[in-house]
């Protein structure tokens, strides 16, 4: 029997000052990875409208407290307003993170992305769930590893992974479990050393940091667990590894997650589970509410679900990696 996360926590998670906007620009992607919590694919057409994009740009421009604009998708690069949001945010001195699958560089119309990234000095956070070709292709699709390595080499040639102001980070997450043999993301520092040695020795690839993320039971990964009949067992596994020391460092405390329709959530996982952020009136928040309130700090507490065990298990897990 699983203990509800809110009961295990036995307190509310309070928001701190918002300094990060994480924006999901839409669900279109050139890949359809088996573990994708967004369930993105080439068949998806949802993307941010011009109206929502303009409101988002207004918020980015109006609030100096926003230090980071974190762009995700799908493949964020494929969506309406992507380059405009990057340019405007950088003009305003914001850090811009682009969560790229790397293979988008080789799709028609996107071949100039490496140069665009370098021109804007965006931080590239790229998924590479293993440094072994077989494991990556099994999770993400045929030839994804090969194309990812080639993309990393292109970025390296532009200074990414080699210079401090051209930041390149890679993302690891565990392989998809086929039975009840579950694992958490391993200790980040030692795995980073192994990644760096293997990629440098075999491909001449360099990067700054490795971000380790637990598999969160939402989206396609949740469906995978359900098909295998181990969804409840996985939640129990996460509960058994719950670490209360991670809670104060959770990413949901200092960020707003905004979807392509302008709805606001505490984090990307809540967004995928349609658990809206709320204010004191229990009304789901939208980007219009933020504009009307003339404040980003209208949310007092974070909404939680049992999948939150994924972020609080072991050393913790966030879009920035281990929490401890």
């Amino acid at each position: 029997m699983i203990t509800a996360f809110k009961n295990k926590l036995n307190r509310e998670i309070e928001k701190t000052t918002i300094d990060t906007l994480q924006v999901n620009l839409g669900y279109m992607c050139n890949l359809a990875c088996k573990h994708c919590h967004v369930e993105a694919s080439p068949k998806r057409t949802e993307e941010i409208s011009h109206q929502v994009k303009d409101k988002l740009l207004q918020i980015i421009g109006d609030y100096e407290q926003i230090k980071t604009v974190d762009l995700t998708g799908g493949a964020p690069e494929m969506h309406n307003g992507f380059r405009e949001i990057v340019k405007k945010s950088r003009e305003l001195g914001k850090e811009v993170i682009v969560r790229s699958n790397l293979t988008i560089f080789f799709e028609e119309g996107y071949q100039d992305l490496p140069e665009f990234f370098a021109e804007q000095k965006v931080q590239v956070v790229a998924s590479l769930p293993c440094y072994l070709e077989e494991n990556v292709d099994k999770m993400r699709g045929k030839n994804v590893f090969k194309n990812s390595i080639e993309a990393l080499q292109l970025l390296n040639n532009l200074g990414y992974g080699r210079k401090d102001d051209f930041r390149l980070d890679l993302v690891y997450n565990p392989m998809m479990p086929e039975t009840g043999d579950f694992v958490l993301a391993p200790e980040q520092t030692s795995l980073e050393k192994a990644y760096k040695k293997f990629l440098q020795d075999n491909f001449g690839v360099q990067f700054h940091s490795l971000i380790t993320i637990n598999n969160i039971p939402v989206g396609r990964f949740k469906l995978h667990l359900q098909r295998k009949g181990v969804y409840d067992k996985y939640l129990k596994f996460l509960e058994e590894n719950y670490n209360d020391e991670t809670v104060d460092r959770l990413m949901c405390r200092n960020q707003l997650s905004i979807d392509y329709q302008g709805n606001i959530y505490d984090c990307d996982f809540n967004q995928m589970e349609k658990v809206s952020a709320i204010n004191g009136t229990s009304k789901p928040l939208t980007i219009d509410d933020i504009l009307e309130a003339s404040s980003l700090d209208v949310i007092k507490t974070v909404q939680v679900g049992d999948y939150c065990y994924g972020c609080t298990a072991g050393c913790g897990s966030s879009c920035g990696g281990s929490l401890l």
Side-chain angles (χ1 to χ4, degrees), residues 152 156 160-162 168 170 196 199-200 204-208:
L152 290 171
N156 278 175
Y160 274 98
R162 294 175 173 168
L168 172 62
L170 301 184
K196 286 187 171 181
L199 293 178
Q200 173 65 57
V205 166
Q206 298 178 19
F207 66 97
H208 286 103

Side-chain angles (χ1 to χ4, degrees), residues 22-279:
Q22 186 174 74
V23 185
N24 188 308
L25 294 173
Y27 301 154
M28 189 189 325
C29 188
N30 60 311
L31 300 179
C33 300
K34 292 181 179 179
H35 67 300
C36 180
H37 70 278
V38 180
E39 300 183 62
S41 80
K43 296 181 180 180
R44 302 294 293 268
T45 59
E46 303 96 322
E47 69 173 340
I48 194 169
S49 67
H50 290 294
Q51 183 182 30
V52 172
K53 180 258 298 178
D54 289 342
K55 291 176 180 178
L56 177 65
L57 288 172
Q58 182 180 343
I59 288 176
I60 293 171
D62 284 351
Y63 293 97
E64 188 176 345
Q65 73 188 72
I66 298 172
K67 306 301 182 186
T68 302
V69 177
D70 187 343
L71 300 177
T72 184
E77 303 97 326
M78 296 181 75
H79 293 96
N80 173 51
F82 169 75
R83 297 191 188 219
E84 184 179 356
I85 293 169
V86 169
K87 289 179 179 179
K88 182 64 174 178
S89 299
R90 292 299 293 143
E91 286 173 6
L92 293 167
K94 314 294 185 184
E95 174 190 42
V96 173
I97 297 173
V98 177
R99 298 189 180 270
S100 181
N101 67 33
L102 298 176
T103 66
I104 189 65
F105 295 176
F106 307 109
E107 299 290 342
E108 185 69 30
Y110 302 99
Q111 295 97 328
D112 67 329
L113 278 172
E115 289 76 17
F116 175 73
F117 287 173
E119 173 190 303
Q120 297 298 320
K121 291 188 177 180
V122 303
Q123 177 181 342
V124 179
V125 176
S127 177
L128 193 71
C130 186
Y131 51 72
L132 299 179
E133 182 172 6
E134 179 182 358
N135 290 344
V136 172
D137 285 1
K138 182 179 180 181
M139 188 179 295
R140 305 191 65 207
K142 187 177 179 180
N143 293 325
V144 168
F145 181 82
K146 174 180 175 293
N147 289 338
S148 295
I149 292 298
E150 186 174 342
L152 290 171
Q153 291 169 337
L154 288 174
L155 290 172
N156 278 175
N157 289 339
L158 292 168
Y160 274 98
R162 294 175 173 168
K163 300 178 181 178
D164 290 342
D165 53 350
F166 290 88
R167 189 161 187 89
L168 172 62
D169 296 331
L170 301 184
V171 178
Y172 163 91
N173 55 281
M175 294 296 293
M176 306 271 280
E178 298 296 328
T179 62
D181 296 328
F182 308 124
V183 295
L184 298 175
E187 196 276 323
Q188 189 165 282
T189 302
S190 58
L191 184 60
E192 177 180 294
K193 291 178 181 178
Y195 258 73
K196 286 187 171 181
K197 178 173 173 49
F198 186 88
L199 293 178
Q200 173 65 57
D201 290 351
N202 289 276
F203 307 106
V205 166
Q206 298 178 19
F207 66 97
H208 286 103
S209 297
L210 183 70
I211 295 171
T212 57
I213 298 179
N214 292 330
N215 285 323
I216 310 298
V218 300
R220 285 203 190 106
F221 182 62
K222 177 180 179 179
L223 293 173
H224 171 82
L225 294 171
Q226 291 172 333
R227 283 195 298 268
K228 298 293 182 180
V230 295
Y231 174 69
D232 288 341
K233 290 181 180 179
Y234 185 69
L235 279 179
K236 189 63 179 178
F237 165 76
L238 294 177
E239 181 193 345
E240 290 170 349
N241 286 277
Y242 170 76
N243 185 348
D244 195 67
E245 293 182 7
T246 64
V247 174
D248 287 345
R249 301 184 184 185
L250 289 171
M251 61 185 178
C252 52
R253 300 191 67 210
N254 67 312
Q255 76 167 23
L256 297 180
S257 174
I258 303 174
D259 73 8
Y260 70 96
Q261 295 175 308
N263 300 307
I264 295 177
Y265 306 84
D266 293 309
C267 73
D268 198 40
F269 304 120
N270 277 2
Q271 183 180 143
M272 294 309 113
E273 290 289 306
K274 305 300 182 186
V275 179
S276 298
I278 60 174
N279 58 16

